[in-house]
Amino acid sequence: MSAILNSYLERLDKKLHEKNKINEYFEKAEKALGVRRVYLAVGILALWALYMILGRGAELICNLIGFGYPAYVSLIALETSSKDDDTKWLTYWVTFACFSLVEFFSDFIVSFVPFYWLAKCLFLIWCFAPIENNGSRFLYGRVIRPIFLKNRKNIDDVLSKAASSATGLAKEAAAKVITGKTE
C-alpha cells in the first residue's frame, strides 16, 4: 500500500513542478513555509474533502466545479478549429446530463449519504479529467452509447410524435388567439 501511495505522491510532485501559474503559487508557498509543495497540495485536498463532507455550501462548490470549469473550457473549445476538443466536451455534457437525470430521480440519496457532495464532485472531476480514458469517455463508450444506439429508433419516434403534438397544439392556440374564441 505504501508503494502505491508513494507512487501517487511522486506523480503529484512531478505535476506540481511543471511550469504553470498555479505551480508558481505552490513554489512561493513552499519557500515561505518550508514545506514541500506536494504536502501542501495534499493538505489542501484533505481540507477541501473535509469541507465537502461537513461544510455548508458543499452543493454549490460541487456544482461550480462540475459546471463552471467545463463550461469555460467548452467555450474555449468552440473557439478553436479542432474537432477533438469539441467532441471531448460534448461527451462530457452528455454524461453530465445523463447523470443529472439519474440524480433527479434518486435525490433522496443525498439525505442518507453524508459524503454525497464529495463523491459527486470527485465523480465529475473524473468525468472531465485530462486523461485518455476519463469518466465521460468511459461511461459514454460503455453505458450511454450502447443504450442510445439500441433505443435510437424508439427515441426518434417518441420525439417525432411529441413534436407533432406540440405543433398541433401551437396551431390550435394560435387559431384561437386570432379568432378571439376561447373556451
Side-chain angles (χ1 to χ4, degrees), residues 119-180:
K120 178 182 177 181
C121 199
L122 292 173
F123 169 76
L124 292 174
I125 291 169
W126 175 58
C127 284
F128 67 69
I131 56 177
E132 181 60 35
N133 200 17
N134 65 19
S136 57
R137 286 183 183 160
F138 178 83
L139 291 171
Y140 179 78
R142 300 248 174 117
V143 179
I144 298 167
R145 186 169 189 266
I147 291 171
F148 169 72
L149 292 176
K150 181 181 175 187
N151 296 293
R152 184 175 182 174
K153 184 180 178 339
N154 295 335
I155 294 168
D156 288 343
D157 290 345
V158 168
L159 291 175
S160 178
K161 288 176 187 173
S164 295
S165 296
T167 301
L169 288 172
K171 285 180 181 178
E172 280 181 42
K176 287 181 181 180
V177 169
I178 291 171
T179 62

Side-chain angles (χ1 to χ4, degrees), residues 63-75:
N63 289 329
L64 284 172
I65 290 169
F67 180 81
Y69 173 76
Y72 175 72
V73 292
S74 294
L75 289 170

Side-chain angles (χ1 to χ4, degrees), residues 35-68:
V35 177
R36 287 184 51 205
R37 65 182 80 177
V38 69
Y39 297 128
L40 291 171
V42 169
I44 290 168
L45 286 172
L47 287 173
W48 169 77
L50 186 63
Y51 184 82
M52 292 301 291
I53 293 169
L54 303 173
R56 287 182 153 317
E59 179 178 6
L60 176 63
I61 292 170
C62 178
N63 289 329
L64 284 172
I65 290 169
F67 180 81

Side-chain angles (χ1 to χ4, degrees), residues 100-134:
S100 296
L101 193 62
V102 169
E103 182 185 42
F104 176 80
F105 290 106
S106 61
D107 196 36
F108 66 93
I109 292 174
V110 176
S111 61
F112 296 112
V113 180
F115 54 89
Y116 177 78
W117 297 114
L118 173 63
K120 178 182 177 181
C121 199
L122 292 173
F123 169 76
L124 292 174
I125 291 169
W126 175 58
C127 284
F128 67 69
I131 56 177
E132 181 60 35
N133 200 17
N134 65 19

